[in-house]
Amino acid sequence: MATVNITVNGKSHSVDVSPETLLVELIREKLRLTGTHVGCDTSQCGACVVHVDSAAVKSCTMLAVSADGAKVTTIEGLASGAGLHPMQAAFREHHGLQCGFCTPGMIMSAVDMVNRKGNELDERTIREELEGNICRCTGYHNIVKAVGAGARAMKGGGKTARAAE
Amino acid sequence: MSATGIGAAVRRKEDQRFITGTGNYTSDISRPGEVRAYFVRSPHAHATIKKVDTKAAEKMPGVVAVLTGADLAGDKIGGLICGWAVSSKDGSPMKAGAHPAIAVDKVRCVGDQVALVLAETLGQARDAAEKVKVEYGVLPSVVDPAKTQASGAPQIHDVAPNNTIYDWHLGDKAATDAAFASAKHVTKLDIVNNRLVPNAMEPRAAIAEYDQGNDSLTLWNTSQNPHVARLVISAFIGMAPEHKLRVIAPDVGGGFGSKIFIYPEEVVALWACAAREAAGEMGLGPFGGLSHRCAWPRSRHACGACDRRQP
Ligand code: FES
Ligand code: FES
């Protein structure tokens, strides 16, 4: 057993885990934040994307012990307050989801994309940047629209949404 | 275009929970006292099972039980059925081989279930599964559908010579032959159906629970049709009478048809619960004193492997 001290969505936790525990297992099973999904556990689908110290990470590919001392944001902690984060609102507005299984990872990747690339994202950039996130329902078209709209909506206030980190 | 009538956008009610990470998919469910299940699967496409030795696995940390196809057969749990029977052109019924939820004396595809390990954590179940010793007698296999009916091709099911389950014809043969005979030009071509891989983003998962008070079973699974699942698992597989079995499909992360079928893991999860209950009552070793819940969490590997068994 190892002890991991970790801040998730602004709340600090001290969690005992066996050394092989993945970050996604800690998040889902120990903290019961089940919005972060596992679609493959082999680093391909992106359903498990969270932010670790302000960078998008596939949490199925990181050991929980490697996240010791880190500040993590999951889909549950993205919005500040009761409302929706602009990227969440854009996904709903543009029908960027169907079954919703890929959606948390998509939204977390999209917010990270805006943080790195700014608020004006062209379609090509969005499609390239979403390479690590797979959706089987939508055909991506509306996801791309949602990310572009969400990015613009984040203008000025986007980074504050990550204050929880 | 009115604000609420024809032409107005209709907001989906489920989106709110999906975009905030508060959906409820099968793998998100956790029941008090649950144990985790992990399957030992065949690495061979075609082999006899000579021996399954579970002793070393049973001694591994956290292990609650290791169950095999023989245990399943001993409890008279029926095999999986094909939901759509097709007769041959001569009227004979289709020759569907048995499909036990855990293989008994033979495996017929890579990924066929051979044993089930139940443990306190998934990691423990996975570690213990590596200690299950299965002795296989490897048989020749055939992996190209076009070659399955060649003479000398290995026969997979005893009941289906030539690996032919049915020879189905539709339409008016005489009229079709006549039309071709009088046609000015005839083109011949082979039409090959590609393999369908629905591959939803949410891998399959199942969690089963036994309720002592009502003597009833509940199954949560990644299902597109829980009602049919209940009927089949009850009436055909014989798990429990229908009024003693509840099947719940919570949020489903895509299915594309693949989650219509009844899968072995779901049957085995239910049976493992019931078996543990029965054994607990009899005071048998590893089952006693534990609550009876069995969760089989998602596994992409298992999903791919099992998809191969779809009719
Ligand atoms: S679950 Fe992490 S990439 Fe698919
Ligand atoms: S919405 Fe179903 S996988 Fe993307």
Side-chain angles (χ1 to χ4, degrees), chain B residues 142 147-155 163:
Chain B
V142 47
K147 293 181 183 151
T148 51
Q149 289 168 317
S151 75
Q155 187 174 325
N163 295 319

Side-chain angles (χ1 to χ4, degrees), chain A residues 145-161:
Chain A
K145 275 209 284 192
V147 173
R152 284 189 296 279
M154 279 170 67
K155 211 168 215 159
K159 300 220 177 189
T160 59

Side-chain angles (χ1 to χ4, degrees), chain B residues 46-243:
Chain B
H46 193 203
T48 55
I49 300 172
K50 293 182 173 165
K51 196 176 166 202
V52 184
D53 182 352
T54 60
K55 276 192 215 75
E58 277 158 13
K59 293 198 192 89
M60 290 290 285
V63 170
V64 173
V66 184
L67 303 168
T68 65
D71 297 322
L72 185 79
D75 278 356
K76 306 227 172 343
I77 301 299
L80 288 111
I81 60 160
C82 178
W84 192 346
V86 181
S87 298
S88 289
K89 60 179 169 179
D90 63 6
S92 60
M94 88 182 190
K95 301 177 185 116
H99 186 174
I102 303 180
V104 182
D105 40 23
K106 200 178 180 193
V107 288
R108 294 181 173 87
C109 68
V110 171
D112 224 348
Q113 302 75 224
V114 178
L116 173 79
V117 181
L118 299 176
E120 300 298 333
T121 70
L122 183 59
Q124 288 170 333
R126 206 185 283 136
D127 284 349
E130 288 177 11
K131 302 283 182 202
V132 175
K133 288 196 203 78
V134 186
E135 225 178 279
Y136 293 102
V138 181
L139 298 168
S141 56
V142 47
V143 293
D144 178 352
K147 293 181 183 151
T148 51
Q149 289 168 317
S151 75
Q155 187 174 325
I156 306 305
H157 287 279
D158 293 346
V159 296
N162 243 344
N163 295 319
T164 304
I165 299 169
Y166 56 78
D167 180 8
W168 188 49
H169 284 224
L170 190 68
D172 184 338
K173 186 167 189 314
T176 311
D177 286 346
F180 274 113
S182 62
K184 272 212 182 93
H185 175 80
V186 174
T187 300
K188 291 189 175 184
L189 76 161
D190 286 330
I191 297 174
V192 180
N193 259 346
N194 61 302
R195 184 183 158 206
L196 284 174
V197 183
N199 213 16
M201 281 303 295
E202 180 205 31
R204 294 187 298 104
I207 176 161
E209 183 171 81
Y210 176 77
D211 179 337
Q212 214 161 15
N214 292 320
D215 182 30
S216 66
L217 286 161
T218 303
L219 172 72
W220 289 262
N221 65 340
T222 47
S223 176
Q224 289 177 258
N225 56 351
H227 304 90
V228 175
R230 185 175 74 156
L231 172 74
V232 171
I233 294 170
S234 172
F236 294 89
I237 295 174
M239 189 65 61
E242 245 191 296
H243 69 286

Side-chain angles (χ1 to χ4, degrees), chain A residues 28 32 39 88 98-99 136, chain B residues 12 19 25 28 198 300:
Chain A
R28 285 180 55 83
R32 296 295 302 150
Q88 289 171 318
Q98 286 179 33
C99 79
R136 285 286 291 116
Chain B
R12 303 200 318 159
I19 56 180
Y25 300 88
D28 300 343
R300 179 59 69 184

Side-chain angles (χ1 to χ4, degrees), chain A residues 25 28-29 32 34-35 37-40 45 47 75-76 84 88 91-93 95 97-104 107 134-137, chain B residues 11-12 14-16 18-23 25 27-30 36 123 126-127 197-203 252-254 256 298 300:
Chain A
E25 293 170 333
R28 285 180 55 83
E29 290 170 29
R32 296 295 302 150
T34 55
H37 296 154
V38 178
C40 68
C45 76
I75 187 73
E76 291 94 338
L84 294 175
Q88 289 171 318
F91 267 70
R92 184 169 64 178
E93 187 60 31
H95 190 35
L97 63 149
Q98 286 179 33
C99 79
F101 199 80
C102 71
T103 312
I107 292 174
I134 301 175
C135 174
R136 285 286 291 116
C137 298
Chain B
R11 292 269 171 278
R12 303 200 318 159
E14 61 270 45
D15 279 3
Q16 174 69 25
F18 292 162
I19 56 180
T20 53
T22 49
Y25 300 88
S27 274
D28 300 343
I29 295 166
S30 173
R36 297 304 198 93
R126 206 185 283 136
D127 284 349
V197 183
N199 213 16
M201 281 303 295
E202 180 205 31
V252 176
F256 316 117
R298 67 289 174 289
R300 179 59 69 184

Side-chain angles (χ1 to χ4, degrees), chain A residues 24 37-49 57-61 101 132 134, chain B residues 201 300:
Chain A
V24 70
H37 296 154
V38 178
C40 68
D41 81 9
T42 44
S43 237
Q44 293 164 58
C45 76
C48 64
V49 171
V57 164
K58 288 180 171 173
S59 59
C60 73
T61 309
F101 199 80
I134 301 175
Chain B
M201 281 303 295
R300 179 59 69 184

